[in-house]
Amino acid sequence: MSEQAQPAENQEQVKEWVPKTTLGQLVKEGKITNLKEIFELGYKIKEPEIVQTLLPNLKTLLVGVRVVQKQTDAGEKTRFRALVAIGDQSGWFGVGHAKSMNTRTAMDKAIRNAMLSIIPVPLGCGSWECRCGQPHSVPYVLEGKTGSVKIIIYPAPRGLGIVAAPHIKNIISLAGIKDAWTKTFGMTSTDISMAFAIYDAFKNASKVISV
């Protein structure tokens, strides 16, 4: 189950923010003005409002919703598990999931968790067929895995587009990648597992790049 990416502010109404952390206070006071600086300083993001403030054009994509049932003494308890992917289409990406008694609350919680998990994604032109120097693809091969699902993202020439199944293309494009070859393994039709595999690929890349 997937939906077209939408602005994050349409998913959750933001109230007046009162920072609870030092980092949050620095962001609200305008002393830190971008996420790159946060990663360079080694801060851990503990408030989703930090991301909302620094990435006002953040997009969200509902990757999937599942019904989760649990047997209790009082009977069967049903909850919904939602998974959401977020990105600014310019090099930042996150994935979050959450459970709740209703889908709306589960989605809102998942969006907040996705903001707390946001990471930088390397953009570049690693294709030997292109070499234009523009950040339209990935600079090198990225590989990610979760469970039995695995994805490999290859650099591609400008104008090719993202060669992947529609649900994979929608997730990858949130990071700002416009052109890429992909190869997948395992239960690739499972949107939720694939979203985590893509996140793992980006996370592995962020460990070796300077942000």
Side-chain angles (χ1 to χ4, degrees):
M1 177 179 179
S2 298
E3 292 185 356
Q4 186 176 1
Q6 298 292 334
E9 57 267 27
N10 291 340
Q11 303 290 338
E12 181 179 7
Q13 295 297 321
V14 181
K15 298 180 180 179
E16 178 65 24
W17 175 34
V18 179
K20 298 179 182 179
T21 64
T22 299
L23 176 59
Q25 192 64 44
L26 292 173
V27 170
K28 187 168 185 179
E29 293 175 355
K31 296 179 180 179
I32 290 182
T33 57
N34 59 73
L35 282 179
K36 181 179 179 181
E37 187 176 357
I38 291 176
F39 276 74
E40 289 176 340
L41 294 174
Y43 282 110
K44 181 177 177 59
I45 299 175
K46 297 181 179 180
E47 297 179 86
E49 292 84 358
I50 292 173
V51 178
Q52 290 176 315
T53 300
L54 300 181
L55 296 180
N57 297 320
L58 196 67
K59 307 294 183 182
T60 68
L61 177 71
L62 175 61
V63 177
V65 176
R66 290 181 178 177
V67 176
V68 180
Q69 295 181 327
K70 181 180 180 180
Q71 192 67 39
T72 66
D73 294 337
E76 195 173 72
K77 185 176 181 181
T78 301
R79 292 193 297 172
F80 297 91
R81 178 177 184 247
L83 187 136
V84 170
I86 63 170
D88 70 339
Q89 299 179 325
S90 294
W92 293 95
F93 181 82
V95 170
H97 62 96
K99 298 177 184 178
S100 182
M101 298 295 289
N102 61 74
T103 55
R104 178 73 265 172
T105 303
M107 288 171 57
D108 289 343
K109 289 181 177 179
I111 291 172
R112 294 177 68 85
N113 290 336
M115 291 181 184
L116 298 179
S117 76
I118 200 162
I119 55 175
V121 178
L123 300 178
C125 177
S127 173
W128 62 269
E129 301 173 87
C130 185
R131 298 181 181 178
C132 67
Q134 300 299 313
H136 64 94
S137 186
V138 290
Y140 38 78
V141 178
L142 307 182
E143 183 176 317
K145 181 179 180 181
T146 182
S148 66
V149 177
K150 179 180 178 181
I151 186 169
I152 303 176
I153 305 173
Y154 300 91
R158 192 171 187 178
L160 176 70
I162 299 175
V163 181
H167 66 286
I168 297 175
K169 179 178 180 180
N170 290 339
I171 298 172
I172 291 177
S173 63
L174 282 173
I177 297 172
K178 299 180 177 64
D179 308 288
W181 300 97
T182 64
K183 183 180 292 186
T184 58
F185 308 86
M187 299 293 291
T188 58
S189 61
T190 306
D191 291 6
I192 292 178
S193 295
M194 183 52 66
F196 279 115
I198 293 171
Y199 180 79
D200 185 59
F202 293 153
K203 188 175 182 179
N204 290 337
S206 69
K207 294 177 182 177
V208 297
I209 64 172
S210 175
V211 296

